[in-house]
Amino acid sequence: MTTTEKVAYLKGLMEGMKLDTETNEGKLLTVIADILADMASDMEDLSGDLADLAEDVDAISDDLSDVEDYLCDEDWDDEEDEDAEDDEEEPLFFEVTCPACDKTITVDEDVLNLGSIQCPNCGEMMEFEFDEDDETPED
């Protein structure tokens, strides 16, 4: 039995008891019964609103789950891991031979990108020319 049905039953009892609504007590009980009826109606409205809200929260939860699945997708994680690995790669070193003294020195990619350096053995300028596609520079 719902609250509204209980209030209706209470009003029926009051009518069955033939309360005099002109007395102070009768007026008081009538007002209390009316207030209870209003409260029961408000509770039913809130209950309906709560059910609608619960459905909306479920829908939002489902949507959020879809977003989490997309963001946590294995392919996306792999790409992120590859990017992190690219950032942490060991520097590349190259061996170059000085054309003047014929000594071989080891330089890293940053030195090669300078375009030229002075040979640490004889002081001769060594110039580097290479294509971006080449894996080894030409001296």
Side-chain angles (χ1 to χ4, degrees), residues 79-89:
E79 289 173 13
E80 185 177 279
D81 291 344
E82 288 172 11
D83 291 341
E85 289 172 9
D86 290 344
D87 294 343
E88 298 172 9
E89 283 185 12

Side-chain angles (χ1 to χ4, degrees), residues 55-65:
E55 288 177 18
D56 291 346
V57 169
D58 287 342
I60 291 170
S61 178
D62 291 344
D63 291 345
L64 181 59
S65 179

Side-chain angles (χ1 to χ4, degrees), residues 90-96 105-115 117 128 130 137:
E90 295 290 324
L92 296 174
F93 291 98
F94 301 93
E95 290 184 351
V96 291
I105 62 171
T106 303
V107 295
D108 67 6
E109 191 174 12
D110 293 337
V111 172
L112 286 180
N113 289 333
L114 293 174
I117 61 166
F128 310 111
F130 61 94

